[in-house]
Amino acid sequence: MAQWTSAVGAAQLARLLNSQQDRPAGPGTRRPPAYRALADGIRLLVLEGRVPVAARLPAERELALSLSVSRTTVAAAYEALRAEGFLESRRGAGSWTAVPAGNPLPARGLEPLPPEALGSMIDLGCAALPAPEPWLTRAVQGALEELPPYAHTHGDYPAGLPALRTMIAERYTARGIPTMPEQIMVTTGAMGAIDAICHLFGGRGERIAVESPSYANILQLMREAGARLVPVAMAEGLTGWDVDRWRQVLRDAAPRIAYVVADFHNPTGALADEDQRRRLVEAARSAGTVLVADETMTELWLDEDVSMPRQVCAFDPAGSTVVTVGSASKAFWAGMRIGWVRAAPDVIRSLVAARAYADLGTPVLEQLAVNWLFSTGGWEQAVELRRSQARENRDALVAALRKELPSWEFEVPQGGLTLWVRAGGLSGSRLAEVGERVGVRVPSGPRFGVDGAFEGYVRLPFTVGGAVADEAAARLAAAARAVESGGSGGGEAPRTFVA
């Protein structure tokens, strides 16, 4: 990356460095020189994603004052980081964070395994559960009963079936966000929705601000569209966004689009509160940035005491700043490739017009099935079943990890489908590689960052429970031991495990 896209102030960087807990040195171990400790601290912040890649670092003198060290110490640390590929500099432009060449993003980890591989491999790559029966079968049967009138047409509905658009609009209105059918376009899943939005607003070379970490498949979609990604670090723990950082990035980098997941963020599980949502919408409006709010996890709260904030679009009901994306894939079933966009009518008209050069429309039968679910109350019952499945799986996975891998760190989210885990100082990429050899498949942290951040993390979804969760944790522990010892984990073959 030739230039910085965001900036980290001296005081902010000093706070982040001071928040790092010093690990006690072993017997006979010398403390590293001050410059080396500073370089290691900055490198760790980059690898963990707490300081984004391509973030401009403060000048040497400013950071030295904030840390109460000599300028020579900071200069030596910056030089060490440049030598290791974690810092780039240019006269007149300053220095900004980087990741060394030769560390490509992992290529595997989220695509589904073929069915024949599931007998011996526990797949924790995809955050998707089996269909909530009998509701899938009932929805398809209901759709077949409604199909005949549509079969007498050409079958292309670029904006979506009128009945489904009306139903989705009514659901927003019932939540206190007045919505017309003209503000809705039905898409082929959330991915289809975001792809259309990126092509409309974010031409090749446009900047798109994204949470750091963020959903891996969306990041890859944006890269392939030619976007220039600007990462914005999440706040600590499950507290949502750091709105001050967002305001700074929106002001300084002026991205055309900002993509966020406010409800049970993928991968961290964070839930942004109502004040954060209001402030971020205001910041996006002031910057002229289109704020894309991905609501695919909105209905997946798992704990009874969760108080859900108003949706992001509640703070921009006309849809001039906030473009909302919804989907049936996470809350119902990934095989039900139905998504939707809520935006201003003129935005919807532009998106619909562009479909003539894309997919023309979304399959009619699947739209009828989702409409049946919405209109009969089947959706609410199916989603309640989904919540119950995910809650049981989450609790089983958390218990198994705490037993088998007590040094791994994570916070338990109150909803969503994913657990974001710091892997005890181990490389997430190595764990993913060795895990496949011992029969467990996980995506490594760098898949969810920009340019190789989050090396020390893995994402674990709530897709297995009971004895399968216990076995998955045991295999992860075996992979961790192999990584720690420098081995390959390729000894005993994993035993077949039928879920």
Side-chain angles (χ1 to χ4, degrees):
M1 201 172 288
Q3 184 59 279
W4 57 276
T5 56
S6 62
V8 180
Q12 179 187 0
L13 182 56
R15 285 195 302 271
L16 290 170
L17 288 165
N18 290 331
S19 71
Q20 295 174 335
Q21 296 184 0
D22 292 331
R23 296 176 181 267
T29 302
R30 294 182 178 178
R31 284 188 173 275
Y35 85 90
R36 184 69 262 173
L38 175 56
D40 289 345
I42 295 173
R43 177 176 55 82
L44 181 60
L45 289 172
V46 173
L47 290 175
E48 289 183 343
R50 298 174 69 193
V51 169
V53 175
R56 187 178 186 272
L57 295 186
E60 295 169 2
R61 186 185 303 277
E62 295 174 5
L63 186 56
L65 287 172
S66 292
L67 293 174
S68 298
V69 300
S70 70
R71 183 177 176 181
T72 303
T73 296
V74 177
Y78 278 16
E79 182 57 37
L81 289 168
R82 276 190 289 269
E84 295 162 4
F86 285 94
L87 198 68
E88 296 181 11
S89 303
R90 193 169 69 204
R91 185 178 297 277
S95 299
W96 57 93
T97 56
V99 169
N103 287 355
L105 291 171
R108 298 181 295 173
L110 297 185
E111 67 276 11
L113 276 178
E116 62 271 16
L118 293 177
S120 59
M121 181 73 70
I122 298 176
D123 186 8
L124 299 181
C126 293
L129 289 161
E133 289 288 23
W135 298 107
L136 174 62
T137 298
R138 292 181 183 177
V140 172
Q141 290 171 342
L144 287 172
E145 293 176 2
E146 299 292 331
L147 182 61
Y150 296 93
H152 294 294
T153 73
H154 51 62
D156 286 334
Y157 294 86
L161 295 184
L164 181 56
R165 295 177 73 195
T166 298
M167 182 62 66
I168 294 171
E170 289 176 353
R171 289 173 64 84
Y172 279 105
T173 300
R175 296 172 188 167
I177 308 165
T179 303
M180 304 178 295
E182 292 79 8
Q183 289 180 264
I184 302 295
M185 181 178 81
V186 181
T187 62
T188 307
M191 292 289 288
I194 294 170
D195 182 56
I197 294 166
C198 288
H199 280 88
L200 178 63
F201 291 108
R204 184 165 294 275
E206 289 279 5
R207 290 179 174 178
I208 300 180
V210 296
E211 297 151 324
S212 183
S214 187
Y215 179 38
N217 287 339
I218 293 296
L219 294 180
Q220 190 59 31
L221 181 156
M222 292 173 175
R223 290 187 190 99
E224 293 182 359
R228 188 175 180 186
L229 301 183
V230 182
V232 185
M234 296 287 289
E236 291 297 315
L238 299 176
T239 55
W241 304 315
D242 184 330
V243 180
D244 290 337
R245 287 187 190 177
W246 269 103
R247 186 178 290 109
Q248 180 182 7
V249 168
L250 294 177
R251 182 183 64 244
D252 295 346
R256 185 71 182 92
I257 300 172
Y259 168 77
V260 296
V261 183
D263 302 311
F264 311 119
H265 173 259
N266 186 352
T268 68
L271 177 64
D273 65 32
E274 194 158 298
D275 183 60
Q276 289 172 326
R277 296 168 193 237
R278 179 187 296 105
R279 291 167 60 203
L280 184 57
V281 171
E282 291 171 353
R285 184 182 293 116
S286 297
T289 297
V290 176
L291 183 62
V292 179
D294 185 335
E295 294 187 341
T296 54
M297 298 283 190
T298 295
E299 298 190 62
L300 289 177
W301 65 85
L302 305 184
D303 296 334
E304 295 299 330
D305 60 347
V306 177
S307 178
M308 291 298 296
R310 284 184 290 171
Q311 293 166 266
V312 176
C313 58
F315 304 101
D316 179 50
S320 58
T321 296
V322 178
V323 176
T324 303
V325 172
S327 173
S329 296
K330 296 297 186 184
F332 186 75
W333 184 47
M336 188 69 77
R337 305 303 305 158
I338 298 296
W340 53 87
V341 177
R342 182 197 182 277
D346 62 318
V347 172
I348 295 298
R349 286 193 294 271
S350 297
L351 289 170
V352 170
R355 291 193 90 164
Y357 311 102
D359 61 358
L360 293 178
T362 302
V364 170
L365 187 63
E366 283 86 340
Q367 291 188 71
L368 289 171
V370 172
N371 193 60
W372 183 92
L373 288 165
F374 284 157
S375 61
T376 62
W379 177 267
E380 285 72 22
Q381 296 182 64
V383 171
E384 183 55 43
L385 176 59
R386 170 67 75 238
R387 291 191 195 109
S388 177
Q389 293 171 329
R391 184 185 308 114
E392 292 176 5
N393 289 353
R394 179 197 64 181
D395 295 346
L397 181 62
V398 166
L401 288 172
R402 285 175 173 164
K403 175 185 175 183
E404 298 285 349
L405 292 154
S407 67
W408 286 21
E409 302 171 44
F410 53 85
E411 292 193 45
V412 182
Q414 293 186 295
L417 290 172
T418 57
L419 198 66
W420 186 236
V421 181
R422 191 197 305 259
L426 301 178
S427 162
S429 298
R430 286 284 290 139
L431 283 168
E433 178 186 4
V434 175
E436 292 209 22
R437 300 193 187 117
V438 299
V440 61
R441 188 166 179 263
V442 296
S444 62
R447 288 295 307 270
F448 303 89
V450 175
D451 294 336
F454 304 107
E455 181 56 54
Y457 289 80
V458 293
R459 189 198 73 173
L460 304 178
F462 310 145
T463 52
V464 297
V468 186
D470 293 339
E471 180 67 14
R475 294 184 187 185
L476 283 171
R481 289 192 296 270
V483 171
E484 286 176 329
S485 65
S488 65
E492 180 183 354
R495 59 185 180 276
T496 299
F497 199 93
V498 180

